[in-house]
């Protein structure tokens, strides 16, 4: 698993985290959206902007992780691909892959923005920096599949863009790939989701605790 060095959390953060943390999924990922909502209710939110930003990131990350789980589950029970049931299942895997990448791309994008906006102490996860370009590229390709299918990619002098449609690799090699870089759907995707989740928890803890302490000081 990806491990990052971070500063010791504040006492208020430790107390709240223990109260709202959800049990882990089968791969160790813990959903974050509802715990973050409860956390904000207990300590108060720093601002509407921060709340909406973090809640959006959490929701996208939880969604992306669940789609990846669906892909894994479907591949494990995949009927023979030569059969009508197998083809239908493969189509559904590809659809889940597209939804996973779209959600994960936005979660990573917001996480990067949070680091720049709020200057959260501690180390920013290296795996986010490493895999962010691939996830963004796949999201771009799959979001504009109409243009790719019409061959406009060639007009843009980007002959490698066709590599982004190596959907078979999701099933045969259990990875998302653009033909150059790849993200495994098993341990690697889990590491990325957990690292992003842990960063969002740490960042949310920092700014909510800081805002809470300021309110307490002003009230006292």
């Amino acid at each position: 698993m990806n491990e990052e060095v971070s500063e010791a959390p504040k006492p208020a953060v430790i107390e709240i985290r223990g109260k709202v943390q959800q049990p882990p999924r089968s791969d160790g990922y813990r959903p974050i959206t509802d715990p973050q909502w409860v956390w904000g209710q207990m300590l108060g939110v720093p601002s509407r902007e921060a709340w909406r930003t973090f809640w959006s990131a959490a929701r996208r990350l939880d969604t992306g992780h669940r789609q990846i789980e669906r892909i894994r589950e479907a591949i494990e029970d995949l009927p023979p691909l030569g059969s009508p049931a197998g083809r239908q299942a493969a189509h559904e895997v590809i659809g889940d892959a597209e939804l996973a990448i779209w959600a994960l791309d936005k979660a990573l994008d917001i996480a990067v923005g949070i680091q720049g906006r709020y200057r959260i102490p501690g180390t920013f996860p290296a795996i986010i920096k490493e895999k962010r370009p691939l996830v963004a590229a796949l999201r771009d390709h799959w979001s504009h599949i109409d243009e790719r299918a019409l061959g406009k990619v060639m007009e843009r002098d980007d002959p490698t863009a066709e590599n982004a449609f190596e959907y078979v690799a999701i099933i045969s090699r259990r990875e998302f790939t653009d033909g150059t870089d790849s993200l495994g759907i098993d341990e690697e995707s889990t590491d990325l989701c957990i690292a992003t989740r842990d960063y969002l928890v740490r960042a949310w803890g920092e700014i909510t605790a800081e805002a809470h302490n300021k309110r307490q000081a002003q009230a006292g």
Side-chain angles (χ1 to χ4, degrees), residues 15-37:
E15 180 183 356
I16 297 298
R17 183 182 298 174
K19 290 181 179 179
V20 304
Q21 186 167 252
Q22 288 193 358
R25 304 284 295 174
S26 61
D27 62 357
Y29 178 83
R30 294 177 185 269
I32 183 179
T33 307
D34 192 61
Q36 182 176 279
W37 183 88

Side-chain angles (χ1 to χ4, degrees), residues 35-51:
Q36 182 176 279
W37 183 88
V38 175
W39 192 327
Q41 294 300 306
M42 295 176 72
L43 276 185
V45 299
S47 67
R48 288 186 178 181
E49 176 192 17
W51 165 241

Side-chain angles (χ1 to χ4, degrees), residues 172-183:
S172 65
R173 301 199 300 272
R174 300 178 70 92
E175 66 180 23
F176 304 110
T177 183
D178 63 356
T180 302
D181 194 7
S182 65
L183 173 67

Side-chain angles (χ1 to χ4, degrees), residues 46-57 106 109-121 124 199 203-204 207 210:
S47 67
R48 288 186 178 181
E49 176 192 17
W51 165 241
R52 289 168 178 166
T53 298
F54 277 82
W55 193 39
S56 178
K106 193 57 184 176
D109 183 51
I110 295 174
V112 171
I114 286 170
Q115 179 64 13
R117 182 180 304 170
Y118 297 102
R119 302 297 180 185
I120 306 302
F124 189 72
Y199 172 73
W204 184 240
I207 66 170
E210 181 178 355

